[in-house]
Amino acid sequence: MADFGFNEHHQNEIINYMRFARSKRVLRLKTIDSCFEELKDSRLVEETFTVDEVREMMDGLQMVVRGEVEMELINTAHTNVLLLRQLFSQAEKFYLRLQSDISELENRELLEQVAEFEKTDFKTINKSQINQETIKPKLAPLNEGGVSELLNKEITRLQEENDKLKSRLRTLESQATSALEEKTKAARALKDLQKVQGEQKFSTQSQEINSLESTVAALKEDYERSLSASAASQKDLQENLISAKHELLRVQEQLALAEKELDKKFQQTAAYRNMKEILSKKNEQIKEIRKRLQKYEPDE
């Protein structure tokens, strides 16, 4: 950090802030990981899903992750504002006016230096030395006036406030870890409950299937008996129909013979012969009348 021109005290302050930021970042990443684990444990319990179901799960996960990331970004911005507030408050006590260059916040070279510091120097610093540096107040110089005394008091106050924030941060991390563990346990319990419910449902479906199979077998047996009885009845009907047809032919034959006998007998009666003679005479008369008519009305 020598390139930034910081003294040892300010370097320790930067380290403390980077630790705070890193702890918040790790906590938020754990929360995001838990969102994915919750989706896996609570929703991904089947082998196949429809497109609408997958879209619904992805939309829900997107909303949760978006909310977590947005909350972290907002919290980071607000935390930076509080940090600037502390710096500006200290400066105003000594009638100083601090200025900031927003464009330098996107300086890639400086950002890479900070990232490199976090990867190398930040990891190799002795924690005991840092704690001693931040906890032990420096002795006030003998020949300095009220300004130095005010600075020392403000430094002491900031150190105490920083210690309180660290303690609170550890408490929040512990609470967050406990909450994540409880959430994981609840998700596992829910998964076990769903598994038990699935087994019970499978057992009930198996019983229903067995009952349906028994009913179908009984119906099939009744149908086969009915079909056999119907075949026997149909055979009897066919035999009766054949017998009836033979009897009908025999009766028709007898009727024909009887009719012939009646005609023969009727022709031999005197009434038939008289009627036949009358018809012959009538026919002769009709012929005679026609001949007479032809004389008076010849054909043209």
Side-chain angles (χ1 to χ4, degrees), residues 17 20 75-89 161 165:
Y17 179 76
F20 171 76
N75 185 63
T76 301
H78 293 173
T79 303
N80 292 333
V81 171
L82 293 179
L83 181 61
L84 292 173
R85 177 178 176 273
Q86 294 180 9
L87 297 176
F88 293 158
S89 297
E161 186 176 355
L165 288 174

Side-chain angles (χ1 to χ4, degrees), residues 274-289:
N274 293 331
M275 186 178 295
K276 190 175 182 180
E277 289 177 1
I278 291 170
L279 288 174
S280 298
K281 291 178 180 181
K282 291 293 181 181
N283 289 330
E284 291 294 334
Q285 290 176 0
I286 290 170
K287 290 179 180 180
E288 185 65 24
I289 292 170

Side-chain angles (χ1 to χ4, degrees), residues 4-234:
F4 294 99
F6 291 149
N7 57 29
E8 187 177 2
H9 175 76
H10 288 163
Q11 179 172 324
N12 292 333
E13 291 297 322
I14 291 295
I15 291 172
N16 290 333
Y17 179 76
M18 292 183 69
R19 282 182 175 176
F20 171 76
R22 185 175 64 176
S23 64
K24 298 294 288 183
R25 183 171 66 248
V26 171
L27 181 61
R28 190 60 61 185
L29 290 176
K30 288 182 180 179
T31 304
I32 292 175
D33 291 338
S34 68
C35 294
F36 284 87
E37 292 298 328
E38 181 181 4
L39 177 64
K40 293 177 182 178
D41 295 337
S42 61
R43 297 296 302 275
L44 300 181
V45 294
E46 300 178 2
E47 295 182 356
T48 57
F49 294 92
T50 63
V51 175
D52 293 337
E53 290 175 343
V54 174
R55 184 179 292 110
E56 180 186 359
M57 289 188 290
M58 295 301 294
D59 291 342
L61 182 61
Q62 180 184 1
M63 291 179 62
V64 174
V65 175
R66 178 186 176 87
E68 292 293 337
V69 174
E70 184 179 7
M71 184 183 300
E72 178 61 19
L73 293 175
I74 294 173
N75 185 63
T76 301
H78 293 173
T79 303
N80 292 333
V81 171
L82 293 179
L83 181 61
L84 292 173
R85 177 178 176 273
Q86 294 180 9
L87 297 176
F88 293 158
S89 297
Q90 295 177 27
E92 288 177 0
K93 288 180 179 180
F94 301 101
Y95 305 100
L96 299 177
R97 293 184 178 180
L98 302 181
Q99 293 181 351
S100 60
D101 188 359
I102 303 299
S103 62
E104 287 296 319
L105 298 179
E106 296 181 353
N107 190 323
R108 300 305 305 175
E109 183 178 356
L110 295 179
L111 291 174
E112 290 175 1
Q113 290 181 11
V114 174
E116 186 65 24
F117 170 76
E118 186 177 12
K119 292 180 181 178
T120 57
D121 298 345
F122 181 61
K123 295 180 180 179
T124 58
I125 292 177
N126 192 343
K127 292 183 179 180
S128 61
Q129 295 178 357
I130 295 173
N131 292 332
Q132 292 176 0
E133 180 67 23
T134 56
I135 294 173
K136 289 183 178 180
K138 292 183 178 180
L139 295 176
L142 295 176
N143 297 324
E144 291 185 357
V147 175
S148 179
E149 185 177 357
L150 290 174
L151 285 174
N152 289 330
K153 288 182 179 180
E154 188 64 22
I155 289 171
T156 303
R157 187 186 67 81
L158 290 175
Q159 288 175 351
E160 292 176 354
E161 186 176 355
N162 191 25
D163 292 337
K164 292 179 181 179
L165 288 174
K166 287 181 179 179
S167 177
R168 184 180 178 186
L169 177 61
R170 287 193 294 269
T171 302
L172 291 176
E173 287 180 348
S174 177
Q175 292 176 356
T177 303
S178 300
L180 288 175
E181 291 178 355
E182 292 295 331
K183 189 175 183 180
T184 303
K185 291 180 181 178
R188 291 177 180 174
L190 179 61
K191 185 177 180 181
D192 295 337
L193 179 61
Q194 290 177 347
K195 184 177 180 181
V196 172
Q197 290 178 350
E199 292 177 354
Q200 292 177 354
K201 184 178 181 181
F202 178 74
S203 177
T204 304
Q205 290 178 350
S206 299
Q207 293 177 358
E208 293 178 354
I209 290 173
N210 292 332
S211 177
L212 289 174
E213 288 179 350
S214 301
T215 304
V216 171
L219 291 174
K220 185 178 181 181
E221 185 177 356
D222 292 340
Y223 174 74
E224 290 178 352
R225 287 198 300 267
S226 300
L227 186 63
S228 178
S230 177
S233 177
Q234 185 177 5

